[in-house]
């Protein structure tokens, strides 16, 4: 009898443990894709999303790694008589399953959006009280990614609410990347590793490199530089399968080419998810060149998954270093100023050890070859110091490789 009880308890505990975990081996590198919010907000529909899917393939973005095509807020309709969520039939007349089939037929994956509260931020039905039903529906529709927001949550507990949806997804059985979007207010970098695959670290990004000065008390979303500065102290939290998310990209939405390049580069240095937010049907050559730069993407997607560390701030220039697999490093100079900055690189100054990766640059012992990521050419070795000019609000980014 005792033995039987023991076996039963063992079964129960293994059942509970299986269900109390997020899906493993998902998002082992930062997710890459496209999301509708930054450019289109609520102006989304089936035709637009299918058009974006077509463009992701035609422009080579899918093959560059951008595989998630994510719906944001406003796809939602009402709940049916049994409480299951439906889509907005005006916007998505063929339904989400048909859209998922289309997206999958293009070799892409579909992402969807919901909210832990009663209503989403745009006041469509949220998942509160329907978590298991919603997760089941996403699995039935063959959704691959869920962004889960934090509006109208009144006084529910964030850890509890996100864990509940994690468990609901797990119970539904389809591996779905779980992207937590609570704006950083509850410091998810301290607790979300076991809950989600990525979590927003800040409030929303706006399409500006630095915050515009409010003239009549206007409110602005965060700038690229403000968000960047908020990532410096939380780099330890991020890694394969559990990423800090400094929000989606604004490349191609109105900043200058230099600012766009700097924004993209710094997100690669941060090992940030690369979720595009521009209109892929009408992008400029300059935008395409930025978001398709294979060397920059490789730095973001590096298998170590270590976020860069800021090693110096001198006048308007930040110096960042990111440990990469196989002994490589990414070295990046960011010029925050509105004028070009001349900068002398004395490699020996950057003889740094990084406890997070247990790696040292060792410029005194190792000579690295230098590849300029944006100029797309070799740029000598670290044997000699270098003097560079960084254009206004732009970057210089190198990949350093130990020479034999
Ligand atoms: C915000 C979120 C944005 C977008 C928006 C939709 O809370 O941070 O990325 O999803 O809601 O209403």
């Amino acid at each position: 009898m005792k033995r039987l009880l023991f076996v039963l308890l063992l079964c129960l505990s293994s059942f509970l443990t299986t269900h109390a975990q997020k899906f493993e081996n998902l998002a082992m590198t930062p997710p890459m894709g496209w999301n509708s919010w930054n450019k289109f907000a609520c102006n989304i529909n089936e035709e637009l999303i299918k058009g974006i899917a077509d463009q992701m393939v035609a422009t080579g973005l899918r093959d560059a790694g951008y595989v998630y095509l994510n719906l944001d807020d406003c796809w939602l309709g009402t709940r049916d008589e049994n409480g299951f969520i439906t889509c907005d039939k005006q916007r998505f007349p063929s339904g989400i399953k048909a859209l998922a089939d289309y997206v999958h037929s293009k070799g892409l994956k579909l992402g969807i959006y919901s909210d832990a509260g009663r209503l989403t931020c745009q006041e469509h039905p949220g998942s509160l009280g329907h978590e298991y039903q919603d997760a089941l529906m996403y699995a039935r529709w063959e959704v691959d990614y869920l962004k889960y927001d934090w509006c109208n949550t009144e006084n529910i507990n964030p850890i509890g609410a996100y864990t509940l949806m994690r468990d609901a997804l797990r119970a539904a059985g389809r591996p779905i990347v779980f992207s937590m979007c609570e704006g950083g207010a509850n410091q998810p970098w301290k607790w979300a590793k076991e809950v989600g695959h990525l979590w927003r670290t800040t409030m929303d990004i706006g399409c500006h490199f630095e915050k515009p000065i409010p003239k009549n008390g206007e409110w602005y979303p965060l700038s690229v530089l403000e968000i960047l500065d908020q990532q410096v102290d939380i780099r330890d939290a991020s890694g394969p399968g559990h990423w800090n998310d400094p929000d989606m990209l604004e490349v191609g939405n109105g900043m200058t080419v230099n600012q766009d390049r700097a924004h993209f580069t710094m997100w690669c240095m941060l090992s940030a998810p690369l979720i595009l937010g521009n209109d892929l049907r009408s992008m400029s050559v300059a935008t395409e060149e930025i978001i398709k730069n294979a060397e920059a993407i490789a730095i973001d997607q590096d298998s170590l998954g270590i976020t860069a560390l800021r090693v110096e701030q001198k006048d308007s220039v930040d110096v960042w270093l990111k440990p990469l697999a196989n002994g490589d490093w990414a070295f990046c100079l960011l010029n925050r100023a509105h004028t070009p900055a001349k900068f002398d690189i004395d490699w020996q100054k950057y003889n740094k050890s990084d406890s997070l990766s247990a790696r040292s640059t060792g410029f005194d012992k190792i000579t690295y070859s230098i590849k300029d990521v944006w100029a797309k050419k070799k740029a000598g070795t670290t044997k000699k110091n270098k003097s560079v000019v960084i254009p206004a609000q732009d970057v210089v980014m190198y990949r350093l490789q130990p020479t034999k």
Side-chain angles (χ1 to χ4, degrees):
M1 183 62 190
K2 254 191 183 158
R3 210 190 158 96
L4 184 67
L5 200 65
F6 177 72
V7 173
L8 279 175
L9 277 175
L10 205 69
C11 290
L12 183 69
S13 87
S14 93
F15 173 81
L16 288 177
T17 340
T18 321
H19 284 260
Q21 280 176 5
K22 69 179 191 186
F23 285 103
E24 296 299 340
N25 300 318
L26 280 183
M28 296 311 279
T29 60
M32 292 175 66
W34 183 90
N35 171 292
S36 53
W37 183 256
N38 281 357
K39 179 73 186 178
F40 296 99
C42 277
N43 300 316
I44 55 170
N45 59 51
E46 195 170 292
E47 279 319 300
L48 169 75
I49 302 300
K50 285 165 90 175
I52 296 289
D54 296 345
Q55 281 303 97
M56 287 173 85
V57 179
T59 54
L61 283 165
R62 177 198 64 189
D63 295 341
Y66 297 92
V67 292
Y68 289 102
L69 199 176
N70 297 348
L71 302 177
D72 208 281
D73 210 338
C74 303
W75 67 269
L76 301 112
T78 51
R79 292 198 176 273
D80 70 12
E81 64 279 12
N82 297 314
F84 283 100
I85 193 68
T86 65
C87 66
D88 181 327
K89 294 277 165 3
Q90 302 287 316
R91 299 180 190 278
F92 295 92
S94 313
I96 303 298
K97 176 68 173 73
L99 186 64
D101 289 346
Y102 186 82
V103 166
H104 291 151
S105 77
K106 301 277 163 184
L108 298 164
K109 293 169 188 280
L110 185 70
I112 215 161
Y113 166 99
S114 188
D115 186 289
R118 205 171 36 83
L119 297 170
T120 69
C121 302
Q122 303 304 314
E123 312 213 319
H124 299 286
S127 291
L128 184 64
H130 294 273
E131 293 83 359
Y132 277 76
Q133 271 186 311
D134 286 358
L136 194 61
M137 212 54 176
Y138 306 150
R140 282 187 188 154
W141 287 338
E142 299 186 43
V143 164
D144 305 290
Y145 185 111
L146 170 66
K147 172 173 169 181
Y148 203 48
D149 215 334
W150 190 248
C151 280
N152 303 299
T153 44
E154 281 129 35
N155 51 11
I156 62 173
N157 174 292
I159 304 183
Y162 279 99
T163 306
L164 182 60
M165 185 45 105
R166 174 201 70 184
D167 292 349
L169 291 171
R170 184 79 200 204
R174 182 176 170 85
I176 288 181
V177 172
F178 189 29
S179 158
M180 301 170 43
C181 177
E182 60 71 77
N186 302 286
Q187 303 188 307
W189 51 89
K190 291 190 176 162
W191 52 266
K193 187 176 174 190
E194 312 302 328
V195 183
H197 300 98
L198 59 155
W199 49 82
R200 282 274 299 280
T201 55
T202 66
M203 299 303 281
D204 287 8
I205 193 169
C207 187
H208 31 248
F209 196 66
E210 55 195 344
K211 199 168 245 174
I213 298 156
K215 289 193 195 80
N216 306 305
E218 300 96 335
W219 176 87
Y220 291 107
L222 293 172
S223 67
V224 167
L225 289 180
E226 281 174 296
I227 292 183
L228 177 68
D229 289 334
Q230 291 185 36
Q231 311 308 307
V232 175
D233 295 331
I234 56 172
R235 65 183 284 266
D236 296 24
S238 206
H242 52 95
W243 305 101
N244 284 332
D245 174 7
D247 207 357
M248 304 175 291
L249 294 161
E250 288 283 10
V251 178
N253 281 343
M255 284 184 276
T256 68
V257 173
N258 302 44
Q259 292 171 337
D260 271 352
R261 182 167 38 241
H263 169 31
F264 190 78
T265 300
M266 295 321 298
W267 264 229
C268 291
M269 292 298 282
L270 293 173
S271 304
L274 298 179
I275 307 293
L276 304 167
N278 60 313
D279 189 348
L280 303 181
R281 301 163 310 171
S282 57
M283 63 181 160
S284 68
V285 174
T287 296
E288 200 171 333
E289 273 177 14
I290 292 172
I291 61 182
K292 277 171 57 181
N293 184 311
E295 294 268 355
I297 293 173
I299 286 168
D300 177 77
Q301 295 288 301
D302 184 78
S303 61
L304 282 189
I306 305 265
T307 297
L309 60 158
R310 184 159 66 190
V311 291
E312 191 182 10
Q313 287 198 284
K314 188 168 175 263
D315 304 323
S316 69
V317 178
D318 273 22
V319 183
W320 292 73
L321 272 166
K322 176 177 175 171
L324 304 174
N326 301 321
D328 292 10
W329 289 84
F331 176 85
C332 176
L333 301 172
L334 163 71
N335 177 17
R336 295 168 181 252
H338 292 253
T339 48
K342 186 174 170 295
F343 194 88
D344 297 318
I345 308 170
D346 172 359
W347 296 108
Q348 298 311 319
K349 251 175 87 179
Y350 307 117
N351 269 322
K352 298 278 174 196
S353 291
D354 170 35
S355 54
L356 182 60
S357 59
R359 291 264 311 277
S360 321
T361 49
F363 287 116
D364 49 346
K365 296 182 206 79
I366 307 168
T367 301
Y368 294 87
S369 65
I370 304 171
K371 173 90 190 276
D372 187 322
V373 170
W374 291 109
K376 299 189 177 168
K377 59 178 193 213
K378 291 187 176 146
T381 74
T382 54
K383 251 198 181 126
K384 278 209 268 168
N385 288 340
K386 250 183 153 21
S387 190
V388 295
V389 176
I390 318 153
Q393 301 199 312
D394 204 336
V395 286
V396 165
M397 192 198 217
Y398 295 147
R399 187 182 184 107
L400 308 179
Q401 250 176 335
T403 53
K404 296 276 151 29

